[in-house]
Amino acid sequence: MGVARIRSAGRPTEPWQFRIELLDVRPLVWRRLLLSADITVPRLHRVFQAALGWTNSHLHEFVINGVRYAEPDPEWNDELKQVHERGVVLSAALGRES
C-alpha cells in the first residue's frame, strides 16, 4: 500500500506544483507534477495512479483539512465518515479558492 506526502505550491490561477513522496520506502520514490488548481479529487487520484505506475488495485482516501474524501463503501461509511470525492475541486477542499 502506498502512502504519500503531498506538498503543493501555487496560486489558484496558475498551475500548482506537486511533489509526491512515498512514505517508508527506501530509496526515496517521488514525482513532481504540474496540475491545474481546478482539478477534481477523483481526477487527482487518476493522475497519481498514472504518475506512479499504479494499477488502481487498492482503495484510496485523501484527507484534506481533516475531511476524508473517497468513494465511500456503504458497509464502512458510518464508521469512516468519508465524504464522496465526486465533484470535489482540490482548491476548494484546501480552502484556496480565488
Side-chain angles (χ1 to χ4, degrees):
M1 174 183 194
V3 177
R5 173 184 302 131
I6 305 160
R7 288 184 262 161
S8 67
R11 295 183 203 120
T13 57
E14 62 188 38
W16 287 9
Q17 178 175 270
F18 288 79
R19 179 181 167 111
I20 306 167
E21 297 177 0
L22 297 185
L23 303 178
D24 303 322
V25 175
R26 296 291 175 251
L28 179 65
V29 175
W30 65 276
R31 302 288 186 270
R32 180 172 295 131
L33 305 170
L34 293 175
L35 302 170
S36 172
D38 65 357
I39 192 167
T40 63
V41 172
R43 185 165 191 158
L44 181 65
H45 168 68
R46 290 191 301 274
V47 168
F48 285 4
Q49 293 290 309
L52 291 161
W54 291 343
T55 60
N56 198 26
S57 57
H58 295 282
L59 295 175
H60 69 278
E61 176 180 75
F62 290 93
V63 181
I64 305 170
N65 291 331
V67 178
R68 300 169 75 147
Y69 296 97
E71 288 186 37
D73 181 332
E75 290 185 37
W76 294 96
N77 200 36
D78 289 341
E79 184 176 331
L80 296 177
K81 309 249 186 277
Q82 293 173 326
V83 172
H84 203 299
E85 65 187 13
R86 181 181 43 233
V88 175
V89 176
L90 183 60
S91 60
L94 289 169
R96 296 179 66 177
E97 287 187 297
S98 56

